[in-house]
Amino acid sequence: MSGVHVTTTINGDAVEFVCQPGEVLLDVLRDRVGLTGAKEGCGTGDCGACSVTVDDRLVCACLVLGAEVEGRTVTTVEGMASGGKLHALQSKFIEHAALQCGICTPGFLVSAKALLDRNPDPSETQIRYALAGNLCRCTGYDKIVRAVQAAAKELAVDATKAAKKSAKKAVKKSA
Amino acid sequence: MTTDPSFTNQTFKIIGTRVPRPDGLDKVTGRARYGADASAAGQLVGLILRSPHAHAQIKKIDISKAEKLPGVKAIITSDDLPDLVKGKRDMLDILENCMARGRALYDGHAVAAVAAIDAETARQALKLIKVEYKVLPHVTDVDEAMQDNAPVVQSWVRTTGNPESNKPTNVCQVSQFGHGDIEAGFAEADVIIERSYKTEQTHQGYIEPHACLASVGPDGQGELWVTTQGHYTFRTQCAQLLGMDIAKLKVTSSEIGGGFGGKTHVWMEPIALALSRKANRPVKLVLTREEVFRGTGPTCSTSIDVKIGAKRDGRITGALAVLRYQDGAFPGIWGMLGGMTAWACYDLPNVKAIAYDVLVNRPKVAAYRAPSAPMAAFAVESTMDLVAHQIGMDPVDFRLLNAAKEGTRASYGPTYGPIGIRATLEAVKNHPQMKAKLGPNQGRGMACGFWFNFGGQTCATINIGVDGTVNVSVGTVDVGGSRASLSLIAAEELGVSYESVKCTIADTASLGHNDTTEGSRGTFSSGMAIIFAARNAVNELRARAAKTWDIPVEEVEWKDGQACAIGMQHNNLEPLSLAKIAAKSPRTGGPIAGHNETVADGAGVSFASHICDVEVDPETGATKVLRYTVIQDAGKAIHPDYVEGQFQGAAAQGIGWALNEEYVYGKDGRLQNPGFLDYRIPVCSDLPFIDTKILEIPNPGHPYGIRGVGETSIVPPLAAIGNAVSNAVGVRMNHVPMSPPRILKAIKAQRAAG
Amino acid sequence: MKIAVTGLLRGAVGGAASIDIEAATIRELMNKLVERYPQTESHLDAGIAVAINGEIFRDNWGEPIPVGAEVVLMPRINGG
Amino acid sequence: MRYEAPTSTKDAVSLLSKAKGNAFVLAGGSDLLVRLKSGTIDPDLVVDIKRIPAMQSISKSASGFKIGAAVSCAQLGENDALKKAWPGVVEAANLIGSDQIQSRCTVVGNLCNASPAADSVPAMVAAKAKAVVVGPKGRRTVAVEDVVTGPGKTSLKKGEVIEAISLPARKGKTGDAYLRFTPRTEMDIAVCSAAVSLTLGRGGVVDDARVVLGAVGPTVIVVPAARKAIVGTKLDDGAIAALVAACEAACRPIDDKRGTIEFRTEVAGVLAKRAARIAYQRAGG
C-alpha cells in the first residue's frame, strides 16, 4: 500500500494530498480535504449526490479516482458562492423551497450550474433531462425545476445588465 | 398551486406566509452536517458482515484470523449482545434484527461487525471472518408463507387476534375491523364486484444511507451522532439493548437526509456503540446503498382481495377486504394498519376488513409514509372504479355519494368529527384537469386516500435573549422544513418577527423525551407544545412588565408582541415590547423562558384525492405521467411551500411505486436489485410538474387547526394511475408495480381475448 | 357504558365487538379492562389507543370520559 | 493496487503486457470503478489512458472518423460532423447514463465492458465500425462485433488495448438510428435495443441495411434476415412486418430482473421497426 501524491486545484485553491491508488475522489474530498458538501448516496453513479466538476465537466466524484485529478481543476458546492454572495441557483433554491431534507441539494446545484453554464436558457424538458442523474426523494422535483428556471431568468437579467454596462464603458472610452 | 382557506375562520399575522427556511443557507452551501459528515479524533471505521442466505442456521463464526489482522480493534457477534431486555419481545426483535442470533433470517441479515483503523483494514477483516451456515428452506412470498407446508420463519410465533391459534405458523396476527352485517349487505346489492390484487415490496429510498458516529467509554457514558427521525427513541432503544443508563447516553440528531419512516427505529446504531465500547474508541459506521436495501426496513409486499356490493343508485351496501401483508422476518402491525385504513374514506353501513400479518424471509419491515395504506387503497380504489363503471356512474360522483362525513362511523371504529374527504372530491370535480382533452392512448384516473396522523409525547422550550430574539428548542427531528414552520408558530404566538426566532433541534441531554418524527406529527405536536410554551413565556413577560410598572399582573395584557396595561388608571403607560422587557430581565428576575411538556393528542385524520393523466405506449407497455394534481386537506397550512412540497414528494413516491419500484427476489431468496440502478425511483425527466391544491379544514384538536400533512398523499397514486391506465388502454392492472412487462402482457392477453 | 372493541383486542375479549365497562377516565377504563379480561394486559403493554367521541388518545390516561360518549378501543399505531 | 497514467499507447501496452496479476484499463471508469468498489474485481494494476494524446481526439478524414479511446461520450455529442454523419451512433453513445456519466464514459469502455446491454455497441456494429487494437505484437483492426465474445468477455489478448474506433465515411443517402427500451426515461440499463443503418438507392428504395439487436442475447445480434426483409423495399407495411418477424425470431434473451423473455422479444421487434423508420427518414426516404 503506497500512496499517490496528487497536486490539484480545488475551488480555486492549490491543494496537495496523498491518497490510496484505489481511493475515489469523493472519499478524498470528504475524508482528506475536509469538504463534506458532496454526499455519497449510492457509490455507483446512480444518484448524483456527489456531483462535482473536474475541468468544468460534471462528474460523480464517487466514480473518479483521487489519483486522476492530478493537475486538474475540481469544483464542489463549497466553491459556488463567491464570498458572501450566493450563486443565483443557491438563492433560488432557498426562495423556491426547492429542498426538503437537503441531502441531494449540493449535487443538484452543481449539476444545474453545469447546465446553465452550457445552456443559459434551457426548456423545462432540457432541465429535467439534464438533472436526471440527480435523485431527489423529497420534492417530486417540481420546486427544483422551478428554482432552476428562476435562476436562469435572474442570470440572464444579470448578463444583460453586465453587457449594457460594458457597452456603456466602451462608448465612454471611444468617446 | 392554490390554497383554499375558506373553511378556516382564524386569522393569522405570519402563519401561512412563505418565509425562507432557517437551515437553507447551510444546505445550499454544503455546510449542513448529515449522518456521515461528523468525525472524531481517533475514530475507527465500522463495517458489518451480512448473511448471503435467505434463511440459514449459523453453526459457527470464526473470528480468530480477523482478530489477528493488524489494525483491527474490535469484532462483535451476537455473543457480545446478550439479551438484557429479559425476552421483551419487541425489543429482542430489534436486537435480533441488528445482529442474527443463531439464525440468519433474510439475505442481508447482519451476523458480525468489525471496527478497524481504516476502511481497507475493516474490509479485509470482514473477509477473514469465517461463518459456517446450514442453509434452511426459505419463503419470501406472502401467500406462500401462509400455506401449511411453508417453512416457518420464527418457531416461537403463534397467531394472536381473532381467530387465535396455538401451532407454529408464519401468521403472527389476524385483526378484524368493521361493523354492520356484511352478508346482508351483499344480499341487498344489485352489483357485486370481487377482485384480487398484489403489490410488491418497496423501499423508502431516502438518499442518505444510515450513518452514525458512536463513542462509549468504560465509565458507561456515551455519545451518538446519528441520522434518525427520533433521537430520543434511539437513545431509549440503544440504552436498553446495551444495558446503559438512559441519562448517560447523549444522542444528537444530525441533519437527516430523508427518512419517510425508515429511520424510526435502530438498525446498526447499537452495533456501532457496542464496537466502540469494546474498542474504547469512537466508531463511525456508514451503510452502503446495497446494505440499505438489503439490511434496513422496506415496506410490505401484499396480497389483497376486495369485494364491493352496491345498489343501482350507487349506494354501497357491503364492503369486504381480506388483506395479507408480509412483515419481513419479525412480527409487525402492518397488515392491521392496512385493515384499518382500507375503507376509511367511505360511509358504509356494512363493512369488514380481515388483516393478516405474515412472516417471510425478508428484511424487518419498517414504516413507510402512511404505512400500509397505499396498498389497501390500491385494491379498494381500483374496485371502486370497477363498480362505478358497472353501474354506469361517474367515478367521482360514485365516491361523493359514498364518502364519509362528520358523524360517519369510521370502518376502524370511532365516529368522525369534521373531515375533508368530500371537500377534496368536490375540488376534483371542479378542477380544470377533469375537463382537459385527452389524446389517443391517454387516460385519466382519480383515487382517494386516508391517513390517521399522530401526536404523542412532546417537549418544547422557549428562551428569550436580552436583545429580544427568541430561541426555540424542540425534540422532533426536522425532516422536511419543520424548523421554518415551528419558528412561524413561535413568532405568531409571541407577536414577534419570524427573523427574530431561531429554532434548534435539541439533543437528548437538553430537552425531555420527544416521540419520533413519524405519523406526520412533527409540526402538529411540536407546534402545539410551542404554542403552550409561548403562552407560558407570555405569562412571564406580563409578570415582568407588571413588576416594571409596579401594578398587578392581572392588569397587564399581551397584545401584538407587547405588554399593555389595561384600564383607565394606566392609560399613560407606554406598552412594553418583548425586546424592552427582555432587556430589563436581568434585573426583573433573570432569564425569561417558557416550556411545555405534553402528550399532543387530538391529531386530525386527513384525506387526499388525486387526479392523474397518463399515456400508455400500447406496443411496449410504457406509461408516462402527463399531468398530476394533488388535492389534500391540511387543516391549516403553516408554511404553504413545505405543505406543497410534502404533497408533491408523497405523490412522486406513489408514482414510482405504481410504475417501477419493486424488490426483486430470486429463487434463492436473495435480493436481485439492491441499488438505485435497478431499484428504479423516479428521475426528474419521468415526472411532470405536480399541481397542488391545499384545502384548510381545521382540526378542532389543535389550537391552530393543524393536521399532519406529510403522509396522506402517498396513498392515492397507485390506484389513480391504475385507473388512468385502465381508461387509457382498457386493461385493469391488478399487480403493482404496473411495469411495462406487466402492462404489455395484460394488453396482449386482452387482444387475444378479443 | 358500551365500549367498542376493534382489531386484535377482540381476540382478547372473547371475540366480542363491544363490552360493557363503567369508567370516568381512560385510566379507570384500562384498570377495569385488565381486571375483567386478563388477556388484554399484553395488548396494554404493546399499546392501546382510545377514541373518545372520535378523538384518538394514545398516552393521555388522565383524559376524562364524558357521560354518553362514544368510546372505541383501538390498536396503538405508528406512522412513517 | 498500482495506478499508472502513461502518456503514450506504447507505454500503456508495455505496462499492461508486463503486469503481474490483474491489470485493467481505466478510461471513463463508469463501469470499472463500480466493480472495483463492490469487490468484484481486485486489480493489481490500473492503467489510466486519459493522458495519452493519441486517444484524446476525434479526427475526420476521407475514409471516415476515428474516435480516440479516451474521448468521452459527451464529446461525441459535441462533434457536429460526427453527429451529422452517424446520428444513430452518437445518440446511442449519448444514452449511456446521466450527464455525469456522459462526461466520463467512452464507447471503447462501453464495448470492452462487454455487457450485452451496452448502448453504443449495436449502433457501432450497425455502422460497421472497427476497433484499432494495439498490443505487444503491433496493431490490428477488428470489426466491433468480433471484440465481444460473451457477457464480460472480449477477444483482446493480454497487453492489448483499443486505441480508437473507426467509422466509415458516409456516401449517398444514408441514415442510422438507435432505440432502446428502459422503464424510466433515463438512468436505466437497456432492457432491449435495436440499431438500424441503411442506404437508399433510387426512388427511396433501401439498397443496403444492417439491423442489430442488443440485450436479447449474450452478445449483440446482427440480423441478416431483417436486412433481407427491407432491402429492395420502401419500408412498406409488409416489409416492416417481415423485419419485425425476423428480429423476433433472432432474439435469444433471458428472464431477469430487468425484463422477461416474452417482453424483450416483442419489444426488440417494436424498436427495430421504429429505428428503421427513423433511419429511413434520416436517409431522406
Side-chain angles (χ1 to χ4, degrees), chain B residues 617 619-620 622 624 660 664 672-673 676-683 685-686 740-741 744-745 748 751, chain D residues 37 42 181-189 191 257-260 262-263 266-267 270-271 273-274:
Chain B
D617 181 340
E619 288 188 321
T620 65
K624 175 137 187 81
N660 278 314
V664 180
Q672 305 282 302
N673 57 336
F676 279 142
L677 182 61
D678 287 303
Y679 183 87
R680 304 183 195 97
I681 77 174
V683 300
S685 46
D686 289 337
L744 189 63
K745 200 172 176 184
K748 277 176 77 179
R751 265 188 224 139
Chain D
K37 288 166 75 181
D42 193 5
F181 185 84
T182 56
R184 292 182 293 187
T185 49
E186 280 279 315
M187 301 306 289
D188 292 336
I189 304 289
V191 178
K257 63 192 170 191
R258 292 182 185 141
T260 59
E262 188 191 0
F263 181 80
E266 175 151 357
V267 175
V270 170
L271 296 176
K273 169 177 78 179
R274 293 178 180 179

Side-chain angles (χ1 to χ4, degrees), chain D residues 127-149:
Chain D
K128 296 189 177 164
K130 292 191 167 58
V132 180
V133 179
V134 184
K137 288 178 187 160
R139 192 172 288 260
R140 63 189 176 103
T141 302
V142 193
V144 162
E145 59 265 43
D146 293 332
V147 173
V148 180
T149 54

Side-chain angles (χ1 to χ4, degrees), chain A residues 18-140:
Chain A
V18 174
C19 69
Q20 292 305 312
E23 193 173 331
V24 293
L25 177 61
L26 179 60
D27 292 341
V28 169
L29 288 172
R30 291 178 55 82
D31 300 338
R32 297 190 190 272
V33 185
L35 293 173
T36 56
K39 309 295 179 191
E40 176 158 326
C42 67
T44 51
D46 295 306
C47 81
C50 64
S51 297
V52 301
T53 59
V54 176
D55 285 355
D56 291 331
R57 290 273 181 192
L58 181 67
V59 299
C60 287
C62 73
L63 291 186
V64 176
L65 291 178
E68 287 185 75
V69 302
E70 168 68 37
R72 313 243 186 236
T73 303
V74 179
T75 311
T76 71
V77 70
E78 287 95 339
M80 261 183 93
S82 47
K85 192 177 181 318
L86 293 182
H87 187 276
L89 279 160
Q90 292 173 308
S91 46
K92 291 297 170 191
F93 264 58
I94 298 176
E95 195 181 307
H96 285 258
L99 55 138
Q100 283 177 32
C101 82
I103 192 89
C104 70
T105 307
F108 267 98
L109 288 168
V110 172
S111 292
K113 182 170 181 295
L115 167 68
L116 296 185
D117 285 349
R118 184 174 82 236
N119 177 3
D121 185 24
S123 67
E124 183 204 331
T125 304
Q126 285 171 329
I127 293 173
R128 288 190 180 277
Y129 276 85
L131 299 180
N134 293 80
L135 297 180
C136 169
R137 194 59 158 170
C138 294
T139 64

Side-chain angles (χ1 to χ4, degrees), chain B residues 258-419:
Chain B
F260 315 109
K263 292 175 183 166
T264 51
H265 79 60
V266 296
W267 303 98
M268 80 311 175
E269 294 79 5
I271 304 297
L273 287 164
L275 284 169
S276 171
R277 183 161 67 181
K278 195 162 180 179
N280 192 19
R281 278 174 69 170
V283 171
K284 185 165 172 177
L285 210 167
V286 180
L287 297 191
T288 63
R289 178 55 53 184
E290 181 182 331
E291 286 182 289
V292 171
F293 277 113
R294 289 169 71 210
T296 67
T299 189
C300 323
S301 55
T302 72
S303 157
I304 303 170
D305 308 324
V306 167
K307 185 176 177 184
I308 297 177
K311 302 291 272 184
R312 284 254 162 257
D313 66 6
R315 277 304 305 190
I316 296 173
T317 55
L320 169 69
V322 180
L323 311 102
R324 297 166 290 270
Y325 283 47
Q326 58 86 0
D327 296 340
F330 298 91
I333 57 164
W334 311 113
M336 181 185 85
L337 283 179
M340 292 176 79
T341 56
W343 299 108
C345 290
Y346 300 107
D347 181 7
L348 303 166
N350 308 298
V351 58
K352 191 171 189 174
I354 308 169
Y356 295 87
D357 275 290
V358 185
L359 301 187
V360 296
N361 295 108
R362 294 196 189 207
K364 183 179 194 292
V365 163
Y368 178 18
R369 205 168 201 160
S372 304
M375 308 80 137
F378 171 63
V380 165
E381 292 291 298
S382 296
T383 316
M384 287 293 285
D385 256 35
L386 287 167
V387 177
H389 181 75
Q390 183 79 22
I391 59 176
M393 219 172 151
D394 173 76
V396 184
D397 289 334
F398 176 57
R399 285 179 174 85
L400 261 171
L401 181 67
N402 291 290
K405 50 187 173 291
E406 186 167 0
T408 291
R409 184 164 180 209
S411 56
Y412 59 86
T415 300
Y416 288 127
I419 53 170

Side-chain angles (χ1 to χ4, degrees), chain B residues 206-261:
Chain B
Y206 33 82
I207 307 299
E208 181 200 27
H210 299 255
C212 69
L213 176 60
S215 181
V216 188
D219 59 356
Q221 303 200 56
E223 291 191 13
L224 181 68
W225 161 272
V226 61
T227 172
T228 170
Q229 288 176 247
H231 45 312
Y232 294 90
T233 306
F234 274 39
R235 174 180 67 166
T236 310
Q237 290 177 347
C238 289
Q240 285 180 2
L241 295 176
L242 297 171
M244 296 173 71
D245 294 336
I246 284 179
K248 289 183 190 156
L249 177 60
K250 181 173 114 179
V251 182
T252 307
S253 72
S254 70
E255 290 293 344
I256 175 174
F260 315 109

